[in-house]
Amino acid sequence: MHFVTATAIDLTGHYPVMVEVHLAEADGRAAVILGNAPLIDISEIHGSRLPSPLDLRCEVVGRDDDQTVLIRLRHGVTDREGRDTFRVAAEAVRSEGPDEILERLLLEHHVDPDAVTDVECAWLPFTEFAQTPIDGLAQDDADGVIVRWGRYSWTDRAATLTFTRRLALWQASLVIQFRGFTTLPAGDTGWDLSPPGPARAAALTRIRSAVDDRQGLRELWYARPSGSSVTFRQAD
């Protein structure tokens, strides 16, 4: 999948926030799009001065030449005329990164990356992400998965449950927070470096099966989260 750069013009309302976006078309027109978060991600522009650049999820469905491509917006986003397909400058389109792939898969499973309400519902798209090929990652590059949990210092305000995929020198994670669990010990499943495919599917099944064997982790897994986020940073 890809992103196309547009311009956020205005924000209105409370959560979910309504955003007005203008998308420059190849013929010089500007398509006017009105959409809600989280289908249009406003996290990078919330509180910033407008107008501001904003990336919209899309797929490239055609290419006229090196300068112009045909894109279709994702998640049912359309302009005021009901259109979801536009010709835009090729330089305005880029491929999605690993964290953005994880966010997209969560959304496709109707899970808000910034407001997970059910761990089990979030685990399924993470397992799909763990199996997704990543552009530029060779088979011999470090690629593994791990699940971590606990309160990592006395200053932590919340317990966390983290699903992570390591990709060479980087790692993409879904971090889920919970209120309470003041006595929860920190722990993890250890890195599993099984390659994507049947071996990784078996590893993910083992990880999920181990949840119910750990009382503190089992209680955390079935509790209602208080918040969540997707992160992308250098690997540990």
Side-chain angles (χ1 to χ4, degrees):
M1 294 300 164
H2 296 77
F3 282 90
V4 59
T5 300
T7 303
I9 302 298
D10 193 20
L11 299 176
T12 59
H14 301 289
Y15 190 86
V17 174
M18 180 72 74
V19 56
E20 178 181 340
V21 181
H22 291 186
L23 175 63
E25 299 186 67
D27 62 5
R29 293 186 298 168
V32 179
I33 297 163
L34 296 176
N36 288 330
L39 298 184
I40 295 180
D41 184 3
I42 63 167
S43 59
E44 294 185 4
I45 65 168
H46 208 296
S48 64
R49 297 181 62 181
L50 297 174
S52 178
L54 177 67
D55 286 341
L56 300 177
R57 295 181 181 277
C58 68
E59 56 182 320
V60 175
V61 295
R63 184 177 294 273
D64 295 335
D65 49 44
D66 291 339
Q67 285 75 44
T68 307
V69 296
L70 185 67
I71 59 101
R72 179 180 297 120
L73 298 180
R74 300 281 296 176
H75 305 307
V77 175
T78 64
D79 72 353
R80 283 178 169 172
E81 300 175 15
R83 299 181 300 158
D84 65 358
T85 304
F86 308 89
R87 280 186 168 80
V88 300
E91 63 184 13
V93 179
R94 66 172 178 85
S95 298
E96 60 186 355
D99 54 328
E100 294 164 335
I101 295 173
L102 176 53
E103 289 180 342
R104 170 173 58 81
L105 292 172
L106 287 162
L107 288 169
E108 289 176 355
H109 285 265
H110 308 289
V111 176
D112 185 343
D114 297 321
V116 170
T117 59
D118 185 292
V119 173
E120 196 70 47
C121 290
W123 174 247
L124 181 59
F126 176 79
T127 62
E128 187 174 339
F129 170 66
Q131 296 276 32
T132 300
I134 304 296
D135 290 342
L137 186 69
Q139 287 188 338
D140 57 353
D141 287 339
D143 183 353
V145 293
I146 191 171
V147 173
R148 296 185 172 109
W149 60 89
R151 295 169 63 95
Y152 293 97
S153 76
W154 290 108
T155 61
D156 283 353
R157 296 182 179 180
T160 60
L161 178 63
T162 304
F163 306 152
T164 297
R165 181 180 180 184
R166 186 174 69 191
L167 303 156
L169 300 178
W170 299 88
Q171 59 188 41
S173 302
L174 174 63
V175 183
I176 308 172
Q177 294 94 26
F178 303 81
R179 295 186 179 92
F181 295 93
T182 57
T183 61
L184 180 69
D188 63 63
T189 60
W191 285 105
D192 189 289
L193 301 178
S194 302
R200 176 152 296 175
L204 292 165
T205 297
R206 289 194 299 270
I207 290 173
R208 177 61 190 88
S209 297
V211 168
D212 290 330
D213 294 332
R214 301 174 182 261
Q215 182 174 354
L217 175 58
R218 181 177 66 247
E219 293 173 354
L220 188 69
W221 193 280
Y222 291 108
R224 185 177 179 84
S226 59
S228 61
S229 61
V230 171
T231 65
F232 188 58
R233 60 183 179 83
Q234 283 191 311
D236 297 338

PDB file of all heavy atoms in Angstrom, residues 138-156:
ATOM      1  N   ALA A 138      15.941  -8.327   3.562  1.00  0.00           N
ATOM      2  CA  ALA A 138      16.417  -9.601   3.027  1.00  0.00           C
ATOM      3  C   ALA A 138      16.070 -10.731   3.984  1.00  0.00           C
ATOM      4  O   ALA A 138      15.875 -10.518   5.182  1.00  0.00           O
ATOM      5  CB  ALA A 138      17.926  -9.543   2.802  1.00  0.00           C
ATOM      6  N   GLN A 139      16.013 -11.948   3.450  1.00  0.00           N
ATOM      7  CA  GLN A 139      15.653 -13.096   4.272  1.00  0.00           C
ATOM      8  C   GLN A 139      16.641 -13.343   5.396  1.00  0.00           C
ATOM      9  O   GLN A 139      16.288 -13.874   6.442  1.00  0.00           O
ATOM     10  CB  GLN A 139      15.547 -14.349   3.399  1.00  0.00           C
ATOM     11  CG  GLN A 139      14.304 -14.374   2.522  1.00  0.00           C
ATOM     12  CD  GLN A 139      14.137 -15.705   1.835  1.00  0.00           C
ATOM     13  OE1 GLN A 139      15.093 -16.456   1.665  1.00  0.00           O
ATOM     14  NE2 GLN A 139      12.925 -16.006   1.429  1.00  0.00           N
ATOM     15  N   ASP A 140      17.905 -12.954   5.221  1.00  0.00           N
ATOM     16  CA  ASP A 140      18.889 -13.201   6.262  1.00  0.00           C
ATOM     17  C   ASP A 140      19.000 -12.045   7.251  1.00  0.00           C
ATOM     18  O   ASP A 140      19.819 -12.078   8.168  1.00  0.00           O
ATOM     19  CB  ASP A 140      20.268 -13.502   5.653  1.00  0.00           C
ATOM     20  CG  ASP A 140      20.757 -12.378   4.732  1.00  0.00           C
ATOM     21  OD1 ASP A 140      19.974 -11.451   4.472  1.00  0.00           O
ATOM     22  OD2 ASP A 140      21.918 -12.454   4.289  1.00  0.00           O
ATOM     23  N   ASP A 141      18.203 -10.979   7.076  1.00  0.00           N
ATOM     24  CA  ASP A 141      18.168  -9.912   8.070  1.00  0.00           C
ATOM     25  C   ASP A 141      17.413 -10.394   9.302  1.00  0.00           C
ATOM     26  O   ASP A 141      16.522 -11.237   9.208  1.00  0.00           O
ATOM     27  CB  ASP A 141      17.467  -8.664   7.509  1.00  0.00           C
ATOM     28  CG  ASP A 141      18.328  -7.929   6.497  1.00  0.00           C
ATOM     29  OD1 ASP A 141      19.562  -8.132   6.527  1.00  0.00           O
ATOM     30  OD2 ASP A 141      17.779  -7.186   5.672  1.00  0.00           O
ATOM     31  N   ALA A 142      17.798  -9.842  10.469  1.00  0.00           N
ATOM     32  CA  ALA A 142      17.119 -10.223  11.710  1.00  0.00           C
ATOM     33  C   ALA A 142      15.644  -9.865  11.622  1.00  0.00           C
ATOM     34  O   ALA A 142      15.291  -8.717  11.381  1.00  0.00           O
ATOM     35  CB  ALA A 142      17.776  -9.520  12.887  1.00  0.00           C
ATOM     36  N   ASP A 143      14.787 -10.856  11.814  1.00  0.00           N
ATOM     37  CA  ASP A 143      13.341 -10.655  11.752  1.00  0.00           C
ATOM     38  C   ASP A 143      12.732 -11.574  12.801  1.00  0.00           C
ATOM     39  O   ASP A 143      12.783 -12.796  12.679  1.00  0.00           O
ATOM     40  CB  ASP A 143      12.831 -10.993  10.351  1.00  0.00           C
ATOM     41  CG  ASP A 143      11.334 -10.749  10.187  1.00  0.00           C
ATOM     42  OD1 ASP A 143      10.654 -10.447  11.189  1.00  0.00           O
ATOM     43  OD2 ASP A 143      10.847 -10.867   9.050  1.00  0.00           O
ATOM     44  N   GLY A 144      12.195 -10.983  13.853  1.00  0.00           N
ATOM     45  CA  GLY A 144      11.658 -11.795  14.933  1.00  0.00           C
ATOM     46  C   GLY A 144      10.492 -11.126  15.619  1.00  0.00           C
ATOM     47  O   GLY A 144      10.174  -9.969  15.363  1.00  0.00           O
ATOM     48  N   VAL A 145       9.825 -11.867  16.503  1.00  0.00           N
ATOM     49  CA  VAL A 145       8.682 -11.351  17.243  1.00  0.00           C
ATOM     50  C   VAL A 145       8.863 -11.620  18.732  1.00  0.00           C
ATOM     51  O   VAL A 145       9.522 -12.579  19.137  1.00  0.00           O
ATOM     52  CB  VAL A 145       7.359 -11.976  16.751  1.00  0.00           C
ATOM     53  CG1 VAL A 145       7.047 -11.543  15.333  1.00  0.00           C
ATOM     54  CG2 VAL A 145       7.407 -13.505  16.841  1.00  0.00           C
ATOM     55  N   ILE A 146       8.254 -10.754  19.541  1.00  0.00           N
ATOM     56  CA  ILE A 146       8.301 -10.911  20.990  1.00  0.00           C
ATOM     57  C   ILE A 146       7.073 -10.231  21.581  1.00  0.00           C
ATOM     58  O   ILE A 146       6.546  -9.274  21.007  1.00  0.00           O
ATOM     59  CB  ILE A 146       9.597 -10.285  21.575  1.00  0.00           C
ATOM     60  CG1 ILE A 146       9.793 -10.686  23.039  1.00  0.00           C
ATOM     61  CG2 ILE A 146       9.585  -8.774  21.437  1.00  0.00           C
ATOM     62  CD1 ILE A 146      11.155 -10.274  23.601  1.00  0.00           C
ATOM     63  N   VAL A 147       6.622 -10.739  22.713  1.00  0.00           N
ATOM     64  CA  VAL A 147       5.567 -10.100  23.498  1.00  0.00           C
ATOM     65  C   VAL A 147       6.154  -9.790  24.872  1.00  0.00           C
ATOM     66  O   VAL A 147       6.758 -10.651  25.505  1.00  0.00           O
ATOM     67  CB  VAL A 147       4.324 -11.001  23.634  1.00  0.00           C
ATOM     68  CG1 VAL A 147       3.308 -10.383  24.592  1.00  0.00           C
ATOM     69  CG2 VAL A 147       3.682 -11.223  22.266  1.00  0.00           C
ATOM     70  N   ARG A 148       5.972  -8.531  25.320  1.00  0.00           N
ATOM     71  CA  ARG A 148       6.461  -8.090  26.622  1.00  0.00           C
ATOM     72  C   ARG A 148       5.293  -7.576  27.456  1.00  0.00           C
ATOM     73  O   ARG A 148       4.313  -7.072  26.918  1.00  0.00           O
ATOM     74  CB  ARG A 148       7.503  -6.974  26.459  1.00  0.00           C
ATOM     75  CG  ARG A 148       8.776  -7.369  25.742  1.00  0.00           C
ATOM     76  CD  ARG A 148       9.756  -6.197  25.782  1.00  0.00           C
ATOM     77  NE  ARG A 148      11.074  -6.548  25.293  1.00  0.00           N
ATOM     78  CZ  ARG A 148      11.584  -6.130  24.140  1.00  0.00           C
ATOM     79  NH1 ARG A 148      10.882  -5.335  23.359  1.00  0.00           N
ATOM     80  NH2 ARG A 148      12.803  -6.481  23.764  1.00  0.00           N
ATOM     81  N   TRP A 149       5.449  -7.647  28.782  1.00  0.00           N
ATOM     82  CA  TRP A 149       4.405  -7.131  29.673  1.00  0.00           C
ATOM     83  C   TRP A 149       5.032  -6.713  30.998  1.00  0.00           C
ATOM     84  O   TRP A 149       6.140  -7.125  31.336  1.00  0.00           O
ATOM     85  CB  TRP A 149       3.338  -8.201  29.910  1.00  0.00           C
ATOM     86  CG  TRP A 149       3.872  -9.450  30.534  1.00  0.00           C
ATOM     87  CD1 TRP A 149       3.997  -9.744  31.865  1.00  0.00           C
ATOM     88  CD2 TRP A 149       4.378 -10.600  29.833  1.00  0.00           C
ATOM     89  NE1 TRP A 149       4.546 -10.992  32.036  1.00  0.00           N
ATOM     90  CE2 TRP A 149       4.788 -11.533  30.808  1.00  0.00           C
ATOM     91  CE3 TRP A 149       4.523 -10.919  28.475  1.00  0.00           C
ATOM     92  CZ2 TRP A 149       5.326 -12.771  30.465  1.00  0.00           C
ATOM     93  CZ3 TRP A 149       5.073 -12.155  28.148  1.00  0.00           C
ATOM     94  CH2 TRP A 149       5.466 -13.070  29.123  1.00  0.00           C
ATOM     95  N   GLY A 150       4.307  -5.873  31.732  1.00  0.00           N
ATOM     96  CA  GLY A 150       4.738  -5.503  33.075  1.00  0.00           C
ATOM     97  C   GLY A 150       4.718  -4.005  33.321  1.00  0.00           C
ATOM     98  O   GLY A 150       4.321  -3.209  32.463  1.00  0.00           O
ATOM     99  N   ARG A 151       5.133  -3.631  34.534  1.00  0.00           N
ATOM    100  CA  ARG A 151       5.376  -2.246  34.911  1.00  0.00           C
ATOM    101  C   ARG A 151       6.881  -2.153  35.101  1.00  0.00           C
ATOM    102  O   ARG A 151       7.453  -2.828  35.955  1.00  0.00           O
ATOM    103  CB  ARG A 151       4.642  -1.886  36.202  1.00  0.00           C
ATOM    104  CG  ARG A 151       3.128  -1.927  36.068  1.00  0.00           C
ATOM    105  CD  ARG A 151       2.456  -1.817  37.427  1.00  0.00           C
ATOM    106  NE  ARG A 151       2.748  -0.542  38.061  1.00  0.00           N
ATOM    107  CZ  ARG A 151       1.964   0.526  37.984  1.00  0.00           C
ATOM    108  NH1 ARG A 151       0.840   0.459  37.285  1.00  0.00           N
ATOM    109  NH2 ARG A 151       2.281   1.643  38.588  1.00  0.00           N
ATOM    110  N   TYR A 152       7.530  -1.288  34.344  1.00  0.00           N
ATOM    111  CA  TYR A 152       8.980  -1.356  34.247  1.00  0.00           C
ATOM    112  C   TYR A 152       9.719  -0.425  35.207  1.00  0.00           C
ATOM    113  O   TYR A 152      10.930  -0.429  35.261  1.00  0.00           O
ATOM    114  CB  TYR A 152       9.400  -1.103  32.805  1.00  0.00           C
ATOM    115  CG  TYR A 152       8.934  -2.233  31.906  1.00  0.00           C
ATOM    116  CD1 TYR A 152       7.747  -2.114  31.176  1.00  0.00           C
ATOM    117  CD2 TYR A 152       9.619  -3.433  31.851  1.00  0.00           C
ATOM    118  CE1 TYR A 152       7.297  -3.170  30.396  1.00  0.00           C
ATOM    119  CE2 TYR A 152       9.176  -4.480  31.068  1.00  0.00           C
ATOM    120  CZ  TYR A 152       8.013  -4.342  30.345  1.00  0.00           C
ATOM    121  OH  TYR A 152       7.549  -5.376  29.573  1.00  0.00           O
ATOM    122  N   SER A 153       8.988   0.399  35.964  1.00  0.00           N
ATOM    123  CA  SER A 153       9.619   1.215  37.001  1.00  0.00           C
ATOM    124  C   SER A 153       8.551   1.691  37.957  1.00  0.00           C
ATOM    125  O   SER A 153       7.352   1.634  37.666  1.00  0.00           O
ATOM    126  CB  SER A 153      10.351   2.423  36.394  1.00  0.00           C
ATOM    127  OG  SER A 153       9.434   3.418  36.002  1.00  0.00           O
ATOM    128  N   TRP A 154       8.980   2.176  39.135  1.00  0.00           N
ATOM    129  CA  TRP A 154       8.028   2.654  40.117  1.00  0.00           C
ATOM    130  C   TRP A 154       7.306   3.902  39.624  1.00  0.00           C
ATOM    131  O   TRP A 154       6.252   4.265  40.143  1.00  0.00           O
ATOM    132  CB  TRP A 154       8.741   2.961  41.438  1.00  0.00           C
ATOM    133  CG  TRP A 154       9.214   1.737  42.142  1.00  0.00           C
ATOM    134  CD1 TRP A 154      10.497   1.301  42.283  1.00  0.00           C
ATOM    135  CD2 TRP A 154       8.403   0.757  42.796  1.00  0.00           C
ATOM    136  NE1 TRP A 154      10.543   0.110  42.967  1.00  0.00           N
ATOM    137  CE2 TRP A 154       9.268  -0.239  43.299  1.00  0.00           C
ATOM    138  CE3 TRP A 154       7.020   0.627  42.996  1.00  0.00           C
ATOM    139  CZ2 TRP A 154       8.796  -1.350  44.006  1.00  0.00           C
ATOM    140  CZ3 TRP A 154       6.567  -0.487  43.706  1.00  0.00           C
ATOM    141  CH2 TRP A 154       7.440  -1.450  44.192  1.00  0.00           C
ATOM    142  N   THR A 155       7.847   4.577  38.635  1.00  0.00           N
ATOM    143  CA  THR A 155       7.224   5.795  38.123  1.00  0.00           C
ATOM    144  C   THR A 155       6.198   5.529  37.045  1.00  0.00           C
ATOM    145  O   THR A 155       5.472   6.430  36.644  1.00  0.00           O
ATOM    146  CB  THR A 155       8.295   6.759  37.573  1.00  0.00           C
ATOM    147  OG1 THR A 155       8.992   6.109  36.500  1.00  0.00           O
ATOM    148  CG2 THR A 155       9.276   7.156  38.656  1.00  0.00           C
ATOM    149  N   ASP A 156       6.128   4.284  36.562  1.00  0.00           N
ATOM    150  CA  ASP A 156       5.146   3.963  35.528  1.00  0.00           C
ATOM    151  C   ASP A 156       3.729   4.150  36.066  1.00  0.00           C
ATOM    152  O   ASP A 156       3.394   3.666  37.152  1.00  0.00           O
ATOM    153  CB  ASP A 156       5.302   2.513  35.054  1.00  0.00           C
ATOM    154  CG  ASP A 156       6.478   2.338  34.110  1.00  0.00           C
ATOM    155  OD1 ASP A 156       7.065   3.357  33.743  1.00  0.00           O
ATOM    156  OD2 ASP A 156       6.785   1.191  33.770  1.00  0.00           O
TER     157      ASP A 156
END
